[in-house]
Amino acid sequence: IGISIDNKEYDTTNAATISGTANLSGVLFADFSNVTLGGTPSAVFNDASVADNKPVTVSGYSISGSAAGNYTLAQPTGLTANITLRSITIVGLTADDKIYDQTTSATVSGTASLAGILPGDESNISLSGSPTATFDTATFGTNKSVAVTGYSVTGSALGNYVIVPLI
């Protein structure tokens, strides 16, 4: 066949990208210079959702030449590729400085929201919960890491996204 389908990150579409150069198979040697592969090929996944080894349909190839009428062209079959998760992040929070108090408790300010959700999916994913923030250690320091937990993300489109941890 000579072609493959590229994996892609979830983008709400079922469009697929073909890589490589297609070759004809089954053309007799005497006809080889009289049959040319052409056309404008396109490829689509069976749907737009995230999964591995998703079937892909390819169409648009054609043949031409003086011996092309002696052949029936079958479009490539059996091709698969992956649609991978798209990253989203909780943004809008800032960790507040504090005076040393022997604890890892931290306070965050701001309004949390989700970044990275694609148009069309915004109404299908929501953020809720109450954050709990903690410093990585109780010791004094500057630019310390703060982990935030307590949020939940729900919705029908969530299966196409991965949440990047809030640190």
Side-chain angles (χ1 to χ4, degrees), residues 93-144:
L93 299 175
T94 304
D96 298 336
D97 292 337
K98 77 171 191 173
I99 297 172
Y100 173 73
D101 66 359
Q102 298 179 327
T103 72
T104 59
S105 65
T107 303
V108 291
S109 54
T111 302
S113 63
L114 293 169
I117 298 173
L118 295 171
D121 282 345
E122 297 100 342
S123 63
N124 298 318
I125 296 179
S126 61
L127 176 67
S128 61
S130 300
T132 301
T134 55
F135 284 101
D136 56 347
T137 65
T139 59
F140 167 82
T142 58
N143 295 319
K144 295 179 66 69

Side-chain angles (χ1 to χ4, degrees), residues 2-69:
I3 64 169
S4 62
I5 305 299
D6 295 344
N7 294 333
K8 74 171 190 173
E9 183 179 78
Y10 172 74
D11 66 1
T12 72
T13 73
N14 68 341
T17 302
I18 300 171
S19 289
T21 303
N23 300 305
L24 288 173
S25 175
V27 176
L28 298 175
F29 181 75
D31 289 338
F32 195 72
S33 62
N34 298 315
V35 179
T36 304
L37 180 65
T40 306
S42 64
V44 293
F45 286 96
N46 63 332
D47 63 43
S49 61
V50 169
D52 291 337
N53 298 312
K54 294 181 70 74
V56 175
T57 301
V58 176
S59 61
Y61 284 107
S62 61
I63 54 174
S64 61
S66 60

